[in-house]
């Protein structure tokens, strides 16, 4: 908690179209964990929030719910393993944000219990108490549940990956469901908002054949969810 210390912090990276393109990188370390938390939120706002002017009013638009990011980054700081010399990594993409924190689950809790919020085991109790008293987190053990609730109406849900030495939370861009079927949602996840994709780059990753993939793409176009560019073998698809 000291203003100056030797502990690792958070490494934030904004990628371009792929991980070979790094647009900006900022590392916050050797400072108060509260300052690290604040700086991470500032970076998040730079990339995932903007304002729309409507007459005399300004409306803030959140591409990813800030409350979900706050919960995820607080969870990473509170539950990380501090004796491992590794930064919490925040990777920012156009369509998602990933947070990877060092250290798997504390002993005494299963993956199912962690994801369902049935049980909470505090690895850093003092830090958790500080975050709670400052209002950065609500009730101990509810972070993952709150993130899920914030995406209850979202087309694509957050993803949680747990391994022996790390926990990864993926927050997708928030978009409300457009009455897509389960099969259409599968196709939607394979598409991009920034890169045009031909069916040859979509069908191999779908759990059904090329003809059904083409049919689903056509139906999604009719629903106004995706746009078609070109024709014939040059036909490509992109999310609107």
């Amino acid at each position: 908690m000291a203003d100056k210390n030797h502990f690792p912090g958070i490494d934030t990276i904004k990628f371009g179209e792929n991980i070979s393109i790094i647009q900006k990188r900022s590392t916050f370390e050797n400072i108060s964990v509260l300052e690290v938390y604040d700086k991470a939120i500032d970076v998040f706002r730079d990339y995932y929030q903007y304002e729309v002017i409507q007459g005399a009013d300004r409306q803030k638009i959140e591409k990813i719910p800030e409350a979900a990011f706050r919960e995820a980054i607080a969870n990473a700081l509170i539950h990380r393993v501090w004796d491992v010399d590794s930064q919490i990594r925040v990777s920012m993409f156009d369509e998602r944000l990933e947070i990877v924190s060092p250290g798997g689950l504390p002993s005494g809790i299963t993956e199912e219990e962690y994801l369902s919020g049935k049980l909470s085991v505090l690895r850093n109790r003092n830090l958790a108490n500080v975050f709670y008293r400052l209002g950065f987190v609500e009730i101990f053990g509810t972070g993952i549940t709150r993130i899920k609730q914030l995406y209850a109406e979202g087309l694509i849900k957050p993803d949680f990956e747990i391994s022996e030495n790390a926990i990864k939370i993926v927050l997708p861009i928030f978009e409300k469901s457009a009455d897509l079927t389960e099969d259409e949602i599968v196709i939607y996840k394979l598409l991009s908002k920034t890169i045009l994709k031909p069916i040859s780059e979509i069908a191999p990753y779908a759990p059904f054949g090329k003809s059904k993939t083409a049919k689903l793409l056509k139906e999604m176009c009719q629903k106004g969810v995706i746009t078609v560019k070109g024709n014939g073998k040059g036909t490509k698809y992109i999310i609107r």
Side-chain angles (χ1 to χ4, degrees):
M1 297 297 292
D3 291 340
K4 299 292 183 180
N5 56 63
H6 63 280
F7 292 116
I10 294 178
D11 191 17
T12 66
I13 307 175
K14 176 63 175 69
F15 291 102
E17 293 183 0
N18 56 63
I19 59 175
S20 297
I21 302 174
I22 297 177
Q23 296 178 338
K24 188 173 182 179
R25 183 172 189 171
S26 301
T27 301
F28 311 117
E29 59 183 348
N30 306 136
I31 55 177
S32 164
V33 67
L34 299 179
E35 188 175 356
V36 167
Y37 174 79
D38 286 338
K39 287 183 178 295
I41 291 173
D42 288 340
V43 172
F44 167 83
R45 288 172 175 167
D46 283 343
Y47 292 110
Y48 295 107
Q49 292 182 3
Y50 61 94
E51 288 187 341
V52 174
I53 300 175
Q54 297 178 329
D57 299 323
R58 289 176 178 266
Q59 180 183 6
K60 184 176 76 172
I61 305 297
E62 295 184 343
K63 297 171 70 176
I64 291 176
E66 182 176 314
F69 178 74
R70 284 178 174 272
E71 288 287 351
I73 205 69
N75 188 77
L77 288 165
I78 291 171
H79 295 292
R80 68 155 294 160
V81 175
W82 286 97
D83 56 1
V84 174
D85 189 19
S86 178
Q87 313 281 8
I88 292 170
R89 190 172 71 244
V90 178
S91 302
M92 296 172 286
F93 302 87
D94 289 339
E95 297 166 5
R96 70 187 188 282
L97 179 149
E98 301 177 356
I99 299 172
V100 178
S101 57
L105 293 176
S107 59
I109 184 172
T110 67
E111 180 174 338
E112 190 276 332
E113 289 167 337
Y114 170 79
L115 294 176
S116 66
K118 292 178 181 177
L119 182 65
S120 176
V121 177
L122 295 177
R123 178 175 274 137
N124 304 293
R125 182 172 295 276
N126 290 338
L127 184 57
N129 271 301
V130 171
F131 271 62
Y132 174 69
R133 291 177 183 278
L134 290 174
F136 293 162
V137 295
E138 295 295 326
I139 303 172
F140 296 152
T142 63
I144 300 302
T145 301
R146 288 199 71 223
I147 291 172
K148 291 179 178 179
Q149 289 175 345
L150 288 163
Y151 277 87
E153 297 182 1
L155 182 60
I156 302 177
K157 307 299 183 184
D159 188 43
F160 306 91
E161 299 178 20
I162 299 171
S163 64
E164 182 179 355
N165 297 310
I167 295 177
K168 178 180 178 180
I169 297 178
V170 181
L171 302 178
I173 296 296
F174 184 88
E175 292 179 294
K176 287 193 174 182
S177 172
D179 295 323
L180 298 181
T181 65
E182 290 186 8
D183 288 346
E184 288 171 343
I185 290 175
V186 170
I187 298 298
Y188 185 92
K189 291 180 179 179
L190 298 174
L191 296 170
S192 169
K193 279 191 168 185
T194 57
I195 302 173
L196 287 161
K197 291 188 177 183
I199 195 169
S200 61
E201 294 181 10
I202 303 169
Y205 302 98
F208 18 76
K210 183 177 179 180
S211 59
K212 182 173 180 178
T213 299
K215 179 175 179 291
L216 291 169
L217 287 166
K218 182 178 179 180
E219 292 171 351
M220 292 168 70
C221 288
Q222 293 172 347
K223 291 182 178 181
V225 177
I226 62 176
T227 299
V228 182
K229 301 286 186 179
N231 53 66
K233 292 185 177 180
T235 302
K236 295 183 179 181
Y237 305 88
I238 191 169
I239 296 173
R240 280 191 172 179

